[in-house]
Amino acid sequence: MNKIFRNAKFITNSDYDPYFDINASNWVKRPRLYQHTDLVSSDGLPVFIKDFALKSTENTSLYFSALGCVDIFINGKRVGSDEMKPGCTNFHKRALYIEYDISEYLNVGGNRILAVVSSGWYVGRNVAPYYGKNAPAFIACIMQNGKKVCETDETWKTDVCGQIRTADIWDGEYRDGREPDYTEMSVDSFNCDEWKNSEIANCFTGELSEFVGPQVRVRDNLNLTAEKITVTDGIKYNGSDYGEISIAEENAKLPLKVKKGQTVIIDLAQEMVGWAKIKVKGARGTIIKMRFAEFLNDSGEISRGNDGPKGSVYTVNLRSALAKAYYVLSGKGEEIYRPTFTFFGYRYVELTAEGEYELIDFVSETVGSDTKETGRLETSDELVNKLISNTIWGQRSNYLSIPTDCPQRDERFGWTGDAQAFSITAAYNADVSGFMKKWMQDARDAQSDEGAYSDVIPRSQCCRSENAAAWADAGIIIPYNMYMIYGDKSIIEDHYTSMEKYISQLVINYGMSGPIPRYGDWLAYDYCKNEFISSAYFVHDIDLMIKMSEIIEKEDRAEYYRKLREKAYNYFAENFMDEDGKLLGQTQTDKVISLAFNLISGDYAKEIADELEKQIKKNGSRLSTGFLGTYNLCPTLSKYGKDNMAYTLLMQRKEPSWLYSIDQGATTIWERWNSYTLEKGFGDVGMNSFNHYAYGSVVEWIYRYAAGIEPIEAGFKKFALQPRVDTRKGAELPDGQKPMTHVKASFDSVNGTIESEWTKDKKFTYKCTVPKGTSAVLYLPVFAKKITFNGKQHSVSEFKNENGCAVIKLNAGKYLIEQ
Ligand code: BGC
């Protein structure tokens, strides 16, 4: 046990009864929990109270952690502004502790601390009983000037009670405003003498370690307000299966008097993650029921996948997640409610109540890991700009303590394949170094004794599989990617032994065939053999191990991996190439991965790149790749000088393509290219998320190639500026596409802000900024014989030419180049 908590005990209250059947064999089918069952009120959550006296208030810190999620109050005030504390970890191995300076909350004399604990990621509906089998628990220690003044033990009073009656990450929250509030309960006038003593929870055998990474917070600057408020008062017949909502008021404004029987539907015009904060007024006991949805039913027809009347919220794709928030009014004038121990992925909020009430105010609060955003992109194409915005919202939505696959349905797990595919995009968009440092700790915690990385990190009740090709490999790929973007070797050093273990158990268990072929090129339109993916990723893993061994100066290990690579490559060649060394697989992904991972080289690689280009053209200038092929696709085309084809794919609007989903109404990245189509309605409900960032990985290409900001040395101490300009014209331009004429990017690297911007009309103008202390190599596309460089004319021939680009070394400074 950690030194700070040497004598402190995890305390719990076994009267807490989870509202679901914790032992039900199938998590999806848990009784009462499939779609369209209701969120129920229960007795409340475990609440712990301790009174303690202080002679001074100075220099006092609270250290705490929880098995579950905890909210803390001292002397009538909520402590801190972090949410879902202490976050998601593998509770078999670790819970994070947080330190707060609490001096400002304290009194000289009597003080009271209160903690309310929810099931969280410990014993929540979709993780139990894998981690917790019992009630959630809490541990704390208060230190003043280095001396302990209070800590958790059985003398803390406890009860299962309070306003939050039921709380679960996946199902939502039921709060009853008629019950005493935690601020009220955390002052000594609230009598808890009758409460029982806490029980000591001995279930935790892991390590309590210091919080790493950014806290989960309400990100106030990203909060949204209602774009459109519709008031409905029933259903009318429109000839469809479910009919359509009857609209009482179309563009209602706040404050709004909602009549008995009316439902309010709020459209934020943007899918996001968080919760609704409402200010309401009404009679005591009125229950305001909120449902959160990504889409509205578009016709009321079952054949289009609708689950209700046209215009009502579509929620069947949330599968077993109830995703609801209920609030019972206290009737004491204006009341503010927002959930505490859950979050939702949504664009629409539906409010219903049996009685009348007044909706005075509404804010949709954006909740997520508070990563500082570091990248800005803008292009001449409005739809591409929308794609960039959708990707950023996808990241804001899915980086919440762990990188989740999606934030709304009954998963919200750290699916590794999605995370590795998106990791470079994420690292340009925001500073995710701390976030990933924490998640790689989670990866080690979830690693099997033998060394296997899990497919979902942390593991969960329903997802415990491991060693899946391209998924488990996140444990190798992400540390390397983070090192390249942030230049901090410690992520490799901390993770190195674990990575070695992973590779070594792959060798022992699967020889040279690589990790288990399981998900393959997930959701691709063309099937590329799963075994090919395994073998290719294995060689790629080893390549990264060679590089990482060199980075941390382990030459003997680098040498070991060089030899291993040869064997792994031979396996690849024997199984996926013919006798002449030609690739057997013919899908786009076969070619993309082979080129991206350097499994083919020289003239043959060029030939395959040409073939790939032709194949895409033949496919109507459309991709046919899944999660894996897609993130490698445009960078690979550019690696072989096929930037124009990359632009064609980026700006394609026919299915499947990025802009296609935007034309169908996407405000984030969808799980499938066709999750919803105007033509056919909703996609397969079994797996259809509207906020799955994996395909947003194309933004990596926009940063690295369209804008051209690419590290040469890790951390961008030295970098390339290689703006790839769209030069398509004539037959090369697919119908309806116009060339990109402008790309502007800036990226706050750890070594300063890098800017790169080009405009191509009659002239070609390029502007860039190389931050102080760094240098860059500019690969300037040549369009004219003369170049004006910060006002001075040069002849192109003065510069070295490489593949049609003038190669110019740039020291720190701002540059304006015209041709
Ligand atoms: C998730 C994916 C994940 C996949 C594994 C899905 O249910 O939502 O994004 O990578 O399972 O195949």
Side-chain angles (χ1 to χ4, degrees), residues 46 54 73 130 204 206 236 299 317 341 343 347 360 402 464 519 547 552 626 643-644 650 674 712 790 812 819:
L54 289 177
F73 297 80
Y130 182 63
F204 183 68
K236 45 178 209 198
S299 66
N317 69 322
F341 291 129
F343 56 88
R347 167 177 166 170
I360 301 162
I402 52 168
R464 279 178 274 175
Y519 311 115
K547 288 187 187 160
I552 61 166
D643 308 305
N644 281 352
L650 176 72
N674 55 1
I712 295 176
N790 279 355
Q819 291 183 46

PDB file of all heavy atoms in Angstrom, residues 46 54 73 130 204 206 236 299 317 341 343 347 360 402 464 519 547 552 626 643-644 650 674 712 790 812 819:
ATOM      1  N   PRO A  46     -23.738   4.787  -1.618  1.00  0.00           N
ATOM      2  CA  PRO A  46     -23.031   4.834  -0.337  1.00  0.00           C
ATOM      3  C   PRO A  46     -22.474   6.242  -0.085  1.00  0.00           C
ATOM      4  O   PRO A  46     -21.801   6.808  -0.947  1.00  0.00           O
ATOM      5  CB  PRO A  46     -21.891   3.835  -0.526  1.00  0.00           C
ATOM      6  CG  PRO A  46     -22.320   2.954  -1.636  1.00  0.00           C
ATOM      7  CD  PRO A  46     -23.160   3.798  -2.537  1.00  0.00           C
ATOM      8  N   LEU A  54      -9.727  20.862  13.600  1.00  0.00           N
ATOM      9  CA  LEU A  54      -8.405  21.351  13.194  1.00  0.00           C
ATOM     10  C   LEU A  54      -8.045  22.614  13.984  1.00  0.00           C
ATOM     11  O   LEU A  54      -8.927  23.434  14.264  1.00  0.00           O
ATOM     12  CB  LEU A  54      -8.413  21.712  11.709  1.00  0.00           C
ATOM     13  CG  LEU A  54      -8.482  20.582  10.685  1.00  0.00           C
ATOM     14  CD1 LEU A  54      -8.559  21.180   9.290  1.00  0.00           C
ATOM     15  CD2 LEU A  54      -7.274  19.660  10.786  1.00  0.00           C
ATOM     16  N   PHE A  73     -17.330  16.440  -0.694  1.00  0.00           N
ATOM     17  CA  PHE A  73     -17.822  17.731  -0.191  1.00  0.00           C
ATOM     18  C   PHE A  73     -17.189  17.996   1.167  1.00  0.00           C
ATOM     19  O   PHE A  73     -17.052  17.070   1.976  1.00  0.00           O
ATOM     20  CB  PHE A  73     -19.352  17.694  -0.045  1.00  0.00           C
ATOM     21  CG  PHE A  73     -20.053  17.499  -1.368  1.00  0.00           C
ATOM     22  CD1 PHE A  73     -20.157  16.227  -1.946  1.00  0.00           C
ATOM     23  CD2 PHE A  73     -20.587  18.582  -2.052  1.00  0.00           C
ATOM     24  CE1 PHE A  73     -20.782  16.046  -3.175  1.00  0.00           C
ATOM     25  CE2 PHE A  73     -21.211  18.408  -3.288  1.00  0.00           C
ATOM     26  CZ  PHE A  73     -21.309  17.132  -3.848  1.00  0.00           C
ATOM     27  N   TYR A 130     -16.318  -8.276 -13.128  1.00  0.00           N
ATOM     28  CA  TYR A 130     -14.907  -8.527 -13.450  1.00  0.00           C
ATOM     29  C   TYR A 130     -13.965  -7.863 -12.445  1.00  0.00           C
ATOM     30  O   TYR A 130     -13.025  -8.476 -11.969  1.00  0.00           O
ATOM     31  CB  TYR A 130     -14.603  -8.032 -14.864  1.00  0.00           C
ATOM     32  CG  TYR A 130     -13.179  -8.306 -15.287  1.00  0.00           C
ATOM     33  CD1 TYR A 130     -12.722  -9.619 -15.404  1.00  0.00           C
ATOM     34  CD2 TYR A 130     -12.307  -7.265 -15.550  1.00  0.00           C
ATOM     35  CE1 TYR A 130     -11.414  -9.881 -15.773  1.00  0.00           C
ATOM     36  CE2 TYR A 130     -10.995  -7.517 -15.929  1.00  0.00           C
ATOM     37  CZ  TYR A 130     -10.552  -8.829 -16.035  1.00  0.00           C
ATOM     38  OH  TYR A 130      -9.263  -9.077 -16.406  1.00  0.00           O
ATOM     39  N   PHE A 204      -9.361  -4.807  -2.255  1.00  0.00           N
ATOM     40  CA  PHE A 204      -8.378  -4.211  -3.168  1.00  0.00           C
ATOM     41  C   PHE A 204      -6.971  -4.690  -2.843  1.00  0.00           C
ATOM     42  O   PHE A 204      -6.471  -4.456  -1.744  1.00  0.00           O
ATOM     43  CB  PHE A 204      -8.452  -2.687  -3.081  1.00  0.00           C
ATOM     44  CG  PHE A 204      -7.540  -1.985  -4.040  1.00  0.00           C
ATOM     45  CD1 PHE A 204      -7.763  -2.045  -5.407  1.00  0.00           C
ATOM     46  CD2 PHE A 204      -6.439  -1.277  -3.584  1.00  0.00           C
ATOM     47  CE1 PHE A 204      -6.926  -1.396  -6.302  1.00  0.00           C
ATOM     48  CE2 PHE A 204      -5.592  -0.616  -4.472  1.00  0.00           C
ATOM     49  CZ  PHE A 204      -5.837  -0.680  -5.832  1.00  0.00           C
ATOM     50  N   GLY A 206      -4.498  -4.215  -5.248  1.00  0.00           N
ATOM     51  CA  GLY A 206      -3.613  -3.554  -6.219  1.00  0.00           C
ATOM     52  C   GLY A 206      -2.806  -2.435  -5.590  1.00  0.00           C
ATOM     53  O   GLY A 206      -2.639  -2.360  -4.377  1.00  0.00           O
ATOM     54  N   LYS A 236     -48.906  11.757 -34.384  1.00  0.00           N
ATOM     55  CA  LYS A 236     -49.977  11.731 -35.374  1.00  0.00           C
ATOM     56  C   LYS A 236     -49.681  10.717 -36.466  1.00  0.00           C
ATOM     57  O   LYS A 236     -48.526  10.334 -36.686  1.00  0.00           O
ATOM     58  CB  LYS A 236     -50.285  13.119 -35.934  1.00  0.00           C
ATOM     59  CG  LYS A 236     -49.114  13.955 -36.312  1.00  0.00           C
ATOM     60  CD  LYS A 236     -49.553  15.274 -36.895  1.00  0.00           C
ATOM     61  CE  LYS A 236     -48.467  15.710 -37.858  1.00  0.00           C
ATOM     62  NZ  LYS A 236     -48.448  17.046 -38.235  1.00  0.00           N
ATOM     63  N   SER A 299     -38.652   8.921 -40.447  1.00  0.00           N
ATOM     64  CA  SER A 299     -39.896   8.733 -41.197  1.00  0.00           C
ATOM     65  C   SER A 299     -40.953   7.977 -40.397  1.00  0.00           C
ATOM     66  O   SER A 299     -42.126   8.025 -40.735  1.00  0.00           O
ATOM     67  CB  SER A 299     -39.605   7.932 -42.477  1.00  0.00           C
ATOM     68  OG  SER A 299     -39.204   6.610 -42.117  1.00  0.00           O
ATOM     69  N   ASN A 317     -29.892   2.106 -31.290  1.00  0.00           N
ATOM     70  CA  ASN A 317     -28.480   1.777 -31.523  1.00  0.00           C
ATOM     71  C   ASN A 317     -27.634   1.878 -30.251  1.00  0.00           C
ATOM     72  O   ASN A 317     -26.465   1.528 -30.254  1.00  0.00           O
ATOM     73  CB  ASN A 317     -27.881   2.674 -32.622  1.00  0.00           C
ATOM     74  CG  ASN A 317     -27.742   4.113 -32.164  1.00  0.00           C
ATOM     75  OD1 ASN A 317     -28.587   4.634 -31.452  1.00  0.00           O
ATOM     76  ND2 ASN A 317     -26.660   4.753 -32.554  1.00  0.00           N
ATOM     77  N   PHE A 341     -22.401  11.044 -12.214  1.00  0.00           N
ATOM     78  CA  PHE A 341     -21.652   9.782 -12.338  1.00  0.00           C
ATOM     79  C   PHE A 341     -21.955   9.027 -13.625  1.00  0.00           C
ATOM     80  O   PHE A 341     -21.969   7.796 -13.639  1.00  0.00           O
ATOM     81  CB  PHE A 341     -21.969   8.892 -11.132  1.00  0.00           C
ATOM     82  CG  PHE A 341     -21.407   9.416  -9.839  1.00  0.00           C
ATOM     83  CD1 PHE A 341     -22.218   9.558  -8.719  1.00  0.00           C
ATOM     84  CD2 PHE A 341     -20.066   9.750  -9.723  1.00  0.00           C
ATOM     85  CE1 PHE A 341     -21.703  10.013  -7.514  1.00  0.00           C
ATOM     86  CE2 PHE A 341     -19.537  10.213  -8.522  1.00  0.00           C
ATOM     87  CZ  PHE A 341     -20.351  10.349  -7.417  1.00  0.00           C
ATOM     88  N   PHE A 343     -22.153   9.683 -18.284  1.00  0.00           N
ATOM     89  CA  PHE A 343     -22.014  10.617 -19.403  1.00  0.00           C
ATOM     90  C   PHE A 343     -22.713   9.999 -20.594  1.00  0.00           C
ATOM     91  O   PHE A 343     -22.967   8.792 -20.624  1.00  0.00           O
ATOM     92  CB  PHE A 343     -20.537  10.910 -19.709  1.00  0.00           C
ATOM     93  CG  PHE A 343     -19.708   9.685 -19.982  1.00  0.00           C
ATOM     94  CD1 PHE A 343     -19.596   9.155 -21.260  1.00  0.00           C
ATOM     95  CD2 PHE A 343     -19.021   9.050 -18.955  1.00  0.00           C
ATOM     96  CE1 PHE A 343     -18.831   8.016 -21.508  1.00  0.00           C
ATOM     97  CE2 PHE A 343     -18.252   7.901 -19.193  1.00  0.00           C
ATOM     98  CZ  PHE A 343     -18.159   7.392 -20.473  1.00  0.00           C
ATOM     99  N   ARG A 347     -26.577  14.061 -29.716  1.00  0.00           N
ATOM    100  CA  ARG A 347     -26.797  15.363 -30.347  1.00  0.00           C
ATOM    101  C   ARG A 347     -28.157  15.917 -29.898  1.00  0.00           C
ATOM    102  O   ARG A 347     -28.354  17.116 -29.890  1.00  0.00           O
ATOM    103  CB  ARG A 347     -26.763  15.185 -31.871  1.00  0.00           C
ATOM    104  CG  ARG A 347     -27.272  16.369 -32.622  1.00  0.00           C
ATOM    105  CD  ARG A 347     -27.156  16.213 -34.131  1.00  0.00           C
ATOM    106  NE  ARG A 347     -27.967  17.247 -34.767  1.00  0.00           N
ATOM    107  CZ  ARG A 347     -27.948  17.522 -36.052  1.00  0.00           C
ATOM    108  NH1 ARG A 347     -27.176  16.829 -36.876  1.00  0.00           N
ATOM    109  NH2 ARG A 347     -28.722  18.476 -36.539  1.00  0.00           N
ATOM    110  N   ILE A 360     -36.170  26.680 -17.652  1.00  0.00           N
ATOM    111  CA  ILE A 360     -35.661  28.052 -17.636  1.00  0.00           C
ATOM    112  C   ILE A 360     -34.367  28.176 -18.433  1.00  0.00           C
ATOM    113  O   ILE A 360     -34.144  29.110 -19.181  1.00  0.00           O
ATOM    114  CB  ILE A 360     -35.440  28.506 -16.170  1.00  0.00           C
ATOM    115  CG1 ILE A 360     -36.784  28.424 -15.424  1.00  0.00           C
ATOM    116  CG2 ILE A 360     -34.867  29.923 -16.099  1.00  0.00           C
ATOM    117  CD1 ILE A 360     -36.650  28.421 -13.918  1.00  0.00           C
ATOM    118  N   ILE A 402     -10.064   7.076 -20.755  1.00  0.00           N
ATOM    119  CA  ILE A 402      -9.421   6.124 -21.670  1.00  0.00           C
ATOM    120  C   ILE A 402      -9.885   6.472 -23.087  1.00  0.00           C
ATOM    121  O   ILE A 402     -10.912   7.132 -23.233  1.00  0.00           O
ATOM    122  CB  ILE A 402      -9.839   4.660 -21.347  1.00  0.00           C
ATOM    123  CG1 ILE A 402     -11.373   4.549 -21.275  1.00  0.00           C
ATOM    124  CG2 ILE A 402      -9.206   4.169 -20.062  1.00  0.00           C
ATOM    125  CD1 ILE A 402     -11.890   3.136 -21.251  1.00  0.00           C
ATOM    126  N   ARG A 464     -12.518  -9.615 -22.760  1.00  0.00           N
ATOM    127  CA  ARG A 464     -11.277  -9.995 -22.081  1.00  0.00           C
ATOM    128  C   ARG A 464     -10.291 -10.652 -23.032  1.00  0.00           C
ATOM    129  O   ARG A 464      -9.302 -11.209 -22.615  1.00  0.00           O
ATOM    130  CB  ARG A 464     -11.607 -10.913 -20.909  1.00  0.00           C
ATOM    131  CG  ARG A 464     -12.069 -10.121 -19.703  1.00  0.00           C
ATOM    132  CD  ARG A 464     -12.440 -11.002 -18.563  1.00  0.00           C
ATOM    133  NE  ARG A 464     -13.820 -11.430 -18.677  1.00  0.00           N
ATOM    134  CZ  ARG A 464     -14.393 -12.302 -17.862  1.00  0.00           C
ATOM    135  NH1 ARG A 464     -13.707 -12.850 -16.901  1.00  0.00           N
ATOM    136  NH2 ARG A 464     -15.662 -12.638 -18.017  1.00  0.00           N
ATOM    137  N   TYR A 519      -9.936  -9.484 -35.849  1.00  0.00           N
ATOM    138  CA  TYR A 519     -10.851  -8.471 -36.401  1.00  0.00           C
ATOM    139  C   TYR A 519     -10.449  -8.046 -37.818  1.00  0.00           C
ATOM    140  O   TYR A 519     -11.236  -7.429 -38.523  1.00  0.00           O
ATOM    141  CB  TYR A 519     -10.877  -7.228 -35.506  1.00  0.00           C
ATOM    142  CG  TYR A 519     -11.087  -7.547 -34.050  1.00  0.00           C
ATOM    143  CD1 TYR A 519     -10.097  -7.279 -33.102  1.00  0.00           C
ATOM    144  CD2 TYR A 519     -12.269  -8.144 -33.614  1.00  0.00           C
ATOM    145  CE1 TYR A 519     -10.289  -7.578 -31.771  1.00  0.00           C
ATOM    146  CE2 TYR A 519     -12.458  -8.445 -32.272  1.00  0.00           C
ATOM    147  CZ  TYR A 519     -11.459  -8.168 -31.356  1.00  0.00           C
ATOM    148  OH  TYR A 519     -11.639  -8.471 -30.032  1.00  0.00           O
ATOM    149  N   LYS A 547      13.592   0.150 -33.853  1.00  0.00           N
ATOM    150  CA  LYS A 547      13.766   1.613 -33.697  1.00  0.00           C
ATOM    151  C   LYS A 547      13.778   1.999 -32.230  1.00  0.00           C
ATOM    152  O   LYS A 547      14.612   2.802 -31.797  1.00  0.00           O
ATOM    153  CB  LYS A 547      12.618   2.352 -34.395  1.00  0.00           C
ATOM    154  CG  LYS A 547      12.714   2.303 -35.907  1.00  0.00           C
ATOM    155  CD  LYS A 547      11.648   3.191 -36.512  1.00  0.00           C
ATOM    156  CE  LYS A 547      11.618   3.014 -38.015  1.00  0.00           C
ATOM    157  NZ  LYS A 547      10.399   3.434 -38.642  1.00  0.00           N
ATOM    158  N   ILE A 552      16.516   3.996 -27.200  1.00  0.00           N
ATOM    159  CA  ILE A 552      16.944   3.966 -25.793  1.00  0.00           C
ATOM    160  C   ILE A 552      18.274   3.203 -25.638  1.00  0.00           C
ATOM    161  O   ILE A 552      18.614   2.712 -24.560  1.00  0.00           O
ATOM    162  CB  ILE A 552      15.850   3.431 -24.850  1.00  0.00           C
ATOM    163  CG1 ILE A 552      15.452   2.002 -25.191  1.00  0.00           C
ATOM    164  CG2 ILE A 552      14.626   4.337 -24.842  1.00  0.00           C
ATOM    165  CD1 ILE A 552      14.632   1.347 -24.085  1.00  0.00           C
ATOM    166  N   GLY A 626     -10.941  -0.819 -44.514  1.00  0.00           N
ATOM    167  CA  GLY A 626     -11.570  -0.741 -43.200  1.00  0.00           C
ATOM    168  C   GLY A 626     -10.717   0.088 -42.247  1.00  0.00           C
ATOM    169  O   GLY A 626      -9.916   0.919 -42.684  1.00  0.00           O
ATOM    170  N   ASP A 643      -0.164  12.152 -54.391  1.00  0.00           N
ATOM    171  CA  ASP A 643      -0.946  13.096 -53.583  1.00  0.00           C
ATOM    172  C   ASP A 643      -2.283  13.401 -54.226  1.00  0.00           C
ATOM    173  O   ASP A 643      -3.280  13.582 -53.534  1.00  0.00           O
ATOM    174  CB  ASP A 643      -0.162  14.401 -53.401  1.00  0.00           C
ATOM    175  CG  ASP A 643       1.233  14.137 -52.893  1.00  0.00           C
ATOM    176  OD1 ASP A 643       1.351  13.482 -51.847  1.00  0.00           O
ATOM    177  OD2 ASP A 643       2.204  14.547 -53.562  1.00  0.00           O
ATOM    178  N   ASN A 644      -2.281  13.464 -55.547  1.00  0.00           N
ATOM    179  CA  ASN A 644      -3.542  13.806 -56.207  1.00  0.00           C
ATOM    180  C   ASN A 644      -4.618  12.768 -55.916  1.00  0.00           C
ATOM    181  O   ASN A 644      -5.781  13.107 -55.715  1.00  0.00           O
ATOM    182  CB  ASN A 644      -3.334  13.950 -57.716  1.00  0.00           C
ATOM    183  CG  ASN A 644      -2.718  15.314 -58.046  1.00  0.00           C
ATOM    184  OD1 ASN A 644      -2.610  16.171 -57.159  1.00  0.00           O
ATOM    185  ND2 ASN A 644      -2.331  15.503 -59.291  1.00  0.00           N
ATOM    186  N   LEU A 650      -9.963  12.059 -50.387  1.00  0.00           N
ATOM    187  CA  LEU A 650     -10.384  12.963 -49.312  1.00  0.00           C
ATOM    188  C   LEU A 650     -11.655  13.719 -49.696  1.00  0.00           C
ATOM    189  O   LEU A 650     -12.531  13.949 -48.875  1.00  0.00           O
ATOM    190  CB  LEU A 650      -9.263  13.971 -49.008  1.00  0.00           C
ATOM    191  CG  LEU A 650      -9.576  15.042 -47.967  1.00  0.00           C
ATOM    192  CD1 LEU A 650      -9.627  14.429 -46.568  1.00  0.00           C
ATOM    193  CD2 LEU A 650      -8.530  16.164 -47.993  1.00  0.00           C
ATOM    194  N   ASN A 674     -21.549   4.103 -43.930  1.00  0.00           N
ATOM    195  CA  ASN A 674     -22.966   4.290 -44.239  1.00  0.00           C
ATOM    196  C   ASN A 674     -23.849   4.040 -43.020  1.00  0.00           C
ATOM    197  O   ASN A 674     -24.892   3.406 -43.125  1.00  0.00           O
ATOM    198  CB  ASN A 674     -23.375   3.360 -45.383  1.00  0.00           C
ATOM    199  CG  ASN A 674     -23.048   1.905 -45.052  1.00  0.00           C
ATOM    200  OD1 ASN A 674     -22.535   1.611 -43.962  1.00  0.00           O
ATOM    201  ND2 ASN A 674     -23.346   1.002 -45.964  1.00  0.00           N
ATOM    202  N   ILE A 712      11.070  15.178 -38.369  1.00  0.00           N
ATOM    203  CA  ILE A 712      12.262  14.429 -38.810  1.00  0.00           C
ATOM    204  C   ILE A 712      12.905  13.870 -37.559  1.00  0.00           C
ATOM    205  O   ILE A 712      13.194  12.689 -37.469  1.00  0.00           O
ATOM    206  CB  ILE A 712      13.251  15.334 -39.589  1.00  0.00           C
ATOM    207  CG1 ILE A 712      12.617  15.809 -40.903  1.00  0.00           C
ATOM    208  CG2 ILE A 712      14.564  14.588 -39.864  1.00  0.00           C
ATOM    209  CD1 ILE A 712      13.464  16.796 -41.704  1.00  0.00           C
ATOM    210  N   ASN A 790      10.935  35.558 -49.049  1.00  0.00           N
ATOM    211  CA  ASN A 790      10.912  36.746 -48.173  1.00  0.00           C
ATOM    212  C   ASN A 790      11.308  38.012 -48.945  1.00  0.00           C
ATOM    213  O   ASN A 790      12.156  38.789 -48.527  1.00  0.00           O
ATOM    214  CB  ASN A 790      11.835  36.557 -46.961  1.00  0.00           C
ATOM    215  CG  ASN A 790      11.158  35.741 -45.869  1.00  0.00           C
ATOM    216  OD1 ASN A 790       9.976  35.394 -45.988  1.00  0.00           O
ATOM    217  ND2 ASN A 790      11.881  35.423 -44.820  1.00  0.00           N
ATOM    218  N   ALA A 812      15.004  28.922 -37.676  1.00  0.00           N
ATOM    219  CA  ALA A 812      13.838  29.527 -37.051  1.00  0.00           C
ATOM    220  C   ALA A 812      13.487  30.849 -37.722  1.00  0.00           C
ATOM    221  O   ALA A 812      14.371  31.625 -38.085  1.00  0.00           O
ATOM    222  CB  ALA A 812      14.120  29.742 -35.576  1.00  0.00           C
ATOM    223  N   GLN A 819       5.612  32.120 -55.958  1.00  0.00           N
ATOM    224  CA  GLN A 819       6.080  31.669 -57.281  1.00  0.00           C
ATOM    225  C   GLN A 819       5.108  32.148 -58.335  1.00  0.00           C
ATOM    226  O   GLN A 819       3.910  32.104 -58.113  1.00  0.00           O
ATOM    227  CB  GLN A 819       6.104  30.153 -57.340  1.00  0.00           C
ATOM    228  CG  GLN A 819       7.153  29.526 -56.467  1.00  0.00           C
ATOM    229  CD  GLN A 819       7.152  28.013 -56.647  1.00  0.00           C
ATOM    230  OE1 GLN A 819       7.119  27.519 -57.759  1.00  0.00           O
ATOM    231  NE2 GLN A 819       7.175  27.295 -55.554  1.00  0.00           N
TER     232      GLN A 819
END
